[in-house]
Amino acid sequence: MTTLLTGDLIRAARALIGLSQVELAKKAGITQKALGEFELGKRLITSKANEKLRRVFDELNVQFIAANVEANHLEGTGVRWKPQHPNSGIKTI
């Protein structure tokens, strides 16, 4: 199961790649209203929307990371450009 993206992670990834909400929503095939509500935490992201957004981010070489801690506890979550050579000290989410 893929970890659901949080509003903060979506917003950070969108800023990293320089897309507006309208542009990202169009690429992902979701509405800008839904994306805005996900980012603000007004609406929980659905697994379908999560999958669509992750597909776009993956195509644009964006990677979601966390400290390599317990499986059910994510700490230090963030976003970065996907490296050419993976780092074993970083957990991808």
Side-chain angles (χ1 to χ4, degrees), residues 37-89:
E37 289 175 351
F38 296 150
E39 286 189 1
L40 292 173
K42 291 183 175 182
R43 181 178 184 178
L44 292 176
I45 191 167
T46 63
S47 58
K48 189 173 183 176
N50 189 68
E51 183 180 314
K52 289 178 176 185
L53 287 167
R54 281 185 172 273
R55 179 185 43 79
V56 171
F57 290 136
D58 189 56
E59 289 171 0
L60 296 172
N61 292 316
V62 172
Q63 185 176 58
F64 297 95
I65 60 172
N68 199 8
V69 293
E70 300 299 319
N72 293 332
H73 177 73
L74 297 177
E75 201 169 279
T77 57
V79 61
R80 68 176 183 178
W81 293 113
K82 191 181 300 181
Q84 290 183 357
H85 306 287
N87 180 339
S88 62

Side-chain angles (χ1 to χ4, degrees), residues 5-28 30-32 34-40 53-54 56-58 60-64 78-81:
L5 296 173
T6 64
D8 290 341
L9 286 173
I10 296 169
R11 203 168 36 258
R14 188 170 58 76
L16 180 68
I17 57 180
L19 291 179
S20 68
Q21 281 186 348
V22 171
E23 293 167 324
L24 177 58
K26 184 176 180 179
K27 284 184 177 292
I30 62 176
T31 67
Q32 182 276 323
L35 179 59
E37 289 175 351
F38 296 150
E39 286 189 1
L40 292 173
L53 287 167
R54 281 185 172 273
V56 171
F57 290 136
D58 189 56
L60 296 172
N61 292 316
V62 172
Q63 185 176 58
F64 297 95
V79 61
R80 68 176 183 178
W81 293 113

